[in-house]
């Protein structure tokens, strides 16, 4: 390929050589059917608007999955090759989201410095995941003439349910011990604030997502997503359909549940076709995704979605799977920013504030403005 004057892109062979040197994968590369080397891409950093350079090497292994290695010659935030055409789908909201729970559960969150992420396939909505699956499948058949993508999408999703409403009677009454519990204000950017330049890599598996309830909006967004030019013309339909499953699976709910106004902190356990293994950081160290996931109580991400570290507990009248995700690596003071005490609770604001301070948490504590009759 001819280069323009001043073009500093790395040749494909040089990039591949760097991959082998960095990750030590000669045995893996010997079994590949196909190697795709994406030329170095110059992008505008989403946060700083400065120019960054990323080189990625994607390869297709025997079972038809893609993996991605990211080499960042400078500190960067854009990791996924397809990020440019998915960025527009993210909805901006206030910096805090709110998780409603009982006072006892809140106490355990602080003591253990962890969140419980529960299996979305066993949530209260019987059609939680199947509704989204049917919608995407229908659109894939209609627009791409594909029943299912050859790149298997992720299927194991776990989540912490939140909302954008800080002081809601509906949520206190239904999810916070009949108004005796609390609303926990969670910093939506706690991964980025706590881990800076490796948060994008982590964000492929852990992220806050705004649930979509309107049926017309659901169909329009899926259709737009499936027909987007992703830069891979020979596999465009299959890749778009796979990414649509990955993107919308946990993002779509039936309209009947719209009162929840849910924002989910979601853990995608399997990586659905592509995986970024490691990321060289600006300080010269290497951020290993699997090692970090294990450290915070989650799984190594796999193509087959094997679950080994999930726990089980009784939630109401149902036993469900969950992961206990540690917040210690992010700094719990960076995660929890405010507490609103439920309208029926007799908990003292001053004493709760003192308790949080004893655990190094400097969160705002206040009483709900909702007034109820005795």
């Amino acid at each position: 390929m001819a280069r323009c004057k001043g073009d500093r892109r790395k040749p494909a062979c040089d990039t591949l050589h760097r991959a082998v040197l960095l990750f030590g994968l000669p045995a893996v590369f010997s079994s590949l059917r196909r190697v795709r080397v994406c030329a170095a891409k110059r992008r505008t950093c989403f946060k700083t608007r400065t120019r960054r350079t990323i080189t990625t090497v994607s390869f297709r292994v025997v079972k038809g999955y893609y993996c991605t290695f990211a080499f960042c010659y400078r500190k960067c935030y854009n990791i996924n090759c397809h990020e440019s055409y998915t960025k527009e789908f993210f909805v901006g909201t206030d910096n805090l989201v709110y998780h409603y729970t009982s006072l006892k559960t809140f106490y355990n969150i602080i003591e253990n410095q962890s969140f419980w992420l529960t299996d979305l396939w066993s949530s209260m909505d019987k059609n939680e995941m199947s509704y989204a699956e049917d919608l995407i499948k229908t659109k894939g058949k209609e627009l791409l003439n594909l029943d299912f993508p050859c790149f298997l999408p992720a299927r194991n999703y776990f989540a912490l349910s939140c909302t954008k409403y800080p002081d809601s009677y509906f949520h206190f009454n239904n999810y916070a011990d009949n108004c005796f519990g609390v609303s926990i204000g969670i910093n939506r950017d706690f991964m980025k604030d706590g881990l800076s330049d490796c948060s994008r890599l982590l964000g492929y598996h852990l992220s806050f997502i705004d649930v979509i309830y309107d049926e017309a909006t659901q169909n329009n967004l899926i259709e737009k997503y499936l027909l987007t030019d992703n830069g891979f013309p020979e596999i465009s339909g299959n890749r778009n359909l796979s990414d649509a499953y990955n993107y919308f699976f946990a993002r779509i709910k039936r309209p009947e549940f719209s009162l929840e106004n849910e924002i989910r902190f979601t853990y995608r356990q399997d990586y659905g076709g592509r995986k970024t293994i490691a990321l060289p950081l600006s300080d010269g160290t290497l951020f290993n995704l699997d090692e970090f996931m294990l450290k915070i109580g989650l799984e190594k991400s796999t193509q087959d979605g094997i679950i080994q570290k999930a726990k089980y507990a009784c939630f109401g009248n149902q036993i469900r799977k969950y992961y206990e995700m540690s917040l210690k690596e992010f700094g719990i003071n960076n995660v929890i920013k405010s507490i609103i005490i439920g309208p029926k609770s007799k908990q003292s604001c001053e004493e709760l504030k003192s308790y949080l301070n004893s655990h190094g948490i400097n969160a705002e504590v206040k009483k709900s403005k909702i007034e109820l009759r005795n």
Side-chain angles (χ1 to χ4, degrees):
M1 180 184 295
R3 298 189 199 175
C4 298
K5 184 178 181 180
D7 190 349
R8 297 182 179 180
R9 292 178 294 177
K10 300 291 181 181
C13 58
D14 184 38
T15 303
L16 187 59
H17 179 64
R18 288 171 179 267
V20 175
L21 288 178
L22 183 59
F23 296 100
L25 296 173
V28 174
F29 280 103
S30 66
S31 65
L32 302 181
R33 286 184 179 177
R34 179 177 185 174
V35 176
R36 170 176 300 281
V37 179
C38 304
K41 298 177 181 292
R42 290 200 175 274
R43 305 186 182 199
T44 302
C45 179
F46 183 65
K47 284 293 179 185
T48 64
R49 302 295 177 186
T50 56
R51 304 297 287 182
R52 307 297 186 196
T53 301
I54 296 178
T55 299
T56 60
V57 180
S58 296
F59 60 84
R60 179 175 169 185
V61 296
V62 175
K63 291 186 179 180
Y65 300 102
Y66 270 79
C67 291
T68 301
F69 297 96
F71 301 94
C72 302
Y73 298 108
R74 298 180 185 176
K75 182 177 178 181
C76 62
Y77 293 92
N78 295 326
I79 299 301
N80 294 321
C81 290
H82 61 292
E83 181 183 357
S84 59
Y85 73 91
T86 59
K87 188 184 298 180
E88 64 184 286
F89 290 93
F90 286 93
V91 180
T93 62
D94 187 84
N95 192 49
L96 294 186
V97 296
Y98 302 88
H99 175 63
Y100 287 76
T101 189
S102 67
L103 195 61
K104 182 178 180 180
T105 299
F106 168 68
Y107 175 81
N108 288 329
I109 288 173
I110 301 303
E111 289 298 312
N112 299 320
Q113 296 192 41
S114 64
F115 285 146
W116 284 19
L117 312 179
T118 52
D119 187 3
L120 287 180
W121 285 96
S122 60
S123 68
M124 183 172 61
D125 179 5
K126 183 180 179 180
N127 301 305
E128 173 76 53
M129 303 294 281
S130 59
Y131 171 75
E133 186 174 29
D134 291 343
L135 208 59
I136 299 166
K137 185 176 182 179
T138 300
K139 282 294 181 183
K141 182 67 174 177
E142 175 188 332
L143 300 174
L144 305 175
N145 198 29
L146 293 171
D147 289 317
F148 201 76
C150 62
F151 310 119
L152 298 181
R155 290 190 64 83
N156 297 331
Y157 290 85
F158 297 78
L160 178 78
S161 294
C162 305
T163 182
K164 62 182 178 181
Y165 298 120
D167 193 4
S168 161
Y169 173 72
F170 172 82
H171 292 87
F172 268 123
N173 193 50
N174 287 279
Y175 306 111
D177 194 19
N178 297 312
C179 297
F180 285 96
V182 296
S183 164
I184 307 172
I186 300 171
N187 175 18
R188 188 168 177 150
D189 295 327
F190 75 82
M191 289 191 297
K192 182 180 67 178
D193 294 344
L195 296 175
S196 63
D197 54 341
C198 53
S199 62
R200 285 283 180 178
L201 175 56
L202 192 60
Y204 187 73
H205 293 280
L206 295 170
S207 61
F208 283 97
I209 61 176
D210 298 76
V211 175
I212 305 166
Y213 298 95
D214 181 71
E215 195 169 354
T217 303
Q218 293 169 355
N219 281 288
N220 289 338
L221 287 178
I222 292 173
E223 182 174 338
K224 186 178 180 181
Y225 204 102
L226 291 177
L227 297 178
T228 300
D229 179 10
N230 61 20
F232 296 87
E234 70 281 14
I235 56 171
S236 179
N238 273 293
R239 182 156 183 160
N240 278 8
L241 186 55
S242 178
D243 284 344
Y245 277 104
N246 290 335
Y247 188 82
F248 290 106
F249 232 150
R251 196 177 299 267
I252 288 177
K253 288 194 72 170
R254 294 174 63 88
E256 294 86 350
F257 289 85
S258 60
L259 278 176
E260 294 176 346
N261 288 285
E262 187 177 3
I263 298 172
R264 291 171 169 166
F265 178 69
T266 307
Y267 167 43
R268 178 165 50 188
Q269 187 265 330
D270 44 350
Y271 61 83
R274 291 184 310 284
K275 174 182 178 181
T276 303
I277 295 176
L279 173 67
L281 302 180
S282 55
D283 61 0
T285 61
L286 187 67
F287 178 82
N288 185 290
L289 178 63
D290 284 339
E291 288 180 1
F292 184 82
M293 298 297 271
L294 291 174
K295 184 181 291 187
I296 62 175
L298 305 178
E299 303 271 13
K300 285 185 177 181
S301 54
T302 60
Q303 295 169 336
D304 49 18
I306 295 176
I307 292 177
Q308 296 178 323
K309 298 186 69 175
K311 302 177 182 179
Y312 292 84
C314 188
F315 296 83
N317 59 357
Q318 185 182 8
I319 294 176
R320 300 176 61 190
K321 288 195 295 289
Y322 74 95
Y323 282 95
E324 185 173 4
M325 190 190 93
S326 173
L327 303 175
K328 295 177 182 178
E329 295 297 318
F330 306 101
I332 192 168
N333 188 53
N334 183 49
V335 179
I336 297 177
K337 295 297 185 180
S338 72
I339 305 296
I340 299 177
I341 300 171
K344 289 185 180 180
S345 177
K346 299 187 184 305
Q347 173 65 51
S348 160
C349 288
E350 291 74 18
E351 193 157 16
L352 183 55
K353 178 73 172 177
S354 177
Y355 167 68
L356 292 174
N357 288 340
S358 71
H359 284 75
I361 303 172
N362 186 31
E364 178 187 19
V365 178
K366 58 185 178 182
K367 186 76 174 177
S368 169
K369 294 181 179 179
I370 301 169
E371 296 184 357
L372 301 174
R373 296 185 187 277
N374 293 327

